[in-house]
Amino acid sequence: LFYASTGIRLKDLRIEPRRLVVVVDDGGLSGITTTFIGKDGKVLKRTNDNPAVYELQENAGYVRAKIVDSDRRAAWIQPIFIH
């Protein structure tokens, strides 16, 4: 999986059988928020947990994650299509 970033590094990004897991390398970062976004830009879940976990829903179409820290640095993962 690929991601784009303006300063946030991901330590791990994996798709498990029923969930998407995003682990941020949080060394020196504060206030990390991960937002899972689905079809039509709908916010599916927002969390400050690290790792951030989203339970995949078949009707979501796709899911992607946007990670932002308190200094407004961000990272975006490519969409994961759910079939």
Side-chain angles (χ1 to χ4, degrees), residues 8 10 13 26-28 33 35 43 49 52 59 62 66 71 81 83:
I8 291 179
L10 301 185
L13 176 60
D26 61 359
T33 301
T35 304
V43 173
D49 294 343
N59 62 350
Y62 71 88
K66 180 179 181 182
D71 291 330
F81 292 91
H83 300 283

Side-chain angles (χ1 to χ4, degrees), residues 38-60:
K39 185 176 174 184
D40 299 323
K42 180 180 178 185
V43 173
L44 305 171
K45 180 179 179 180
R46 184 171 284 129
T47 182
N48 299 103
D49 294 343
N50 189 22
V53 178
Y54 177 71
E55 300 294 331
L56 298 173
Q57 306 296 317
E58 290 183 22
N59 62 350

